[in-house]
Amino acid sequence: MPTLPPARLILDRAPSPIGELLMASDAEGRLRAVDFHDYEPRMLRLLRLHYGETTLEAGAAPAATRAALATYFAGDLAALATIAWTTGGTAFQQAVWRALGEVAPGTTLTYAALAARIGKPAAVRAVGAANGANPLSIVVPCHRLVGADGALTGYGGGVERKAWLLAHEGARPRG
């Protein structure tokens, strides 16, 4: 659901087994973006795209967000569902991102299957574009989408991280 752009966001950093995470949260404690340290320009671009000019200040993410991410990386795959998040985006992007949240850990889905799930079976490329514009990497699990043949396709944090996340979740895509 679209929300008003935040006046300022808090940027926190946390370790993970696949690289330092960047987490942008709003004043209400909702996560607005997650990315990897080596993709910070991508995250900043997505934040500008979704919110325009928003002040980004160093600070701590909500303890519940940090704990949920740490718990996910420790093996509790359901922990991601406990994170409060919201983001900008078009109605179509929001539909894609909500549907991504329904793809269970340990499973993968093709872009075409996700397009069908949201009632837009011809919108496979648009689903791919929305997936690529997802500012909530890992939390809105865009890594669970694979190519039509089951092979790994692009991922905003790098295909190696996508493979790691899927293996961590027990998924067995071809790649």
Side-chain angles (χ1 to χ4, degrees):
M1 69 187 84
T3 61
L4 292 175
R8 76 181 195 33
L9 293 171
I10 305 301
L11 179 65
D12 196 3
R13 297 170 185 271
S16 87
I18 51 177
E20 183 180 52
L21 294 176
L22 304 175
M23 301 167 288
S25 303
D26 62 23
E28 289 77 35
R30 295 172 300 195
L31 191 62
R32 297 284 186 136
V34 178
D35 218 322
F36 296 96
H37 71 285
D38 49 338
Y39 286 86
E40 186 168 356
R42 175 187 181 277
M43 185 183 84
L44 296 175
R45 180 181 55 79
L46 289 173
L47 287 172
R48 277 192 306 278
L49 178 67
H50 292 303
Y51 306 120
E53 293 304 317
T54 299
T55 303
L56 197 57
E57 301 172 6
T65 298
R66 289 181 65 91
L69 283 163
T71 302
Y72 166 79
F73 284 115
D76 180 359
L77 305 179
L80 295 180
T82 67
I83 296 174
W85 63 268
T86 191
T87 190
T90 67
F92 180 81
Q93 288 172 326
Q94 295 286 329
V96 169
W97 299 333
R98 279 190 305 274
L100 279 171
E102 296 170 3
V103 179
T107 64
T108 59
L109 200 64
T110 65
Y111 293 87
L114 190 68
R117 276 193 185 186
I118 64 169
K120 307 275 186 190
V124 177
R125 287 182 189 230
V127 164
N131 196 50
N134 171 17
L136 290 157
S137 175
I138 303 171
V139 176
V140 174
C142 50
H143 60 276
R144 295 180 189 151
L145 288 188
V146 296
D149 64 354
L152 297 185
T153 56
Y155 178 64
V159 175
E160 301 82 17
R161 284 186 175 123
K162 181 174 187 165
W164 189 96
L165 289 164
L166 291 174
H168 175 65
E169 294 180 356
R172 302 281 179 242
R174 287 188 291 175

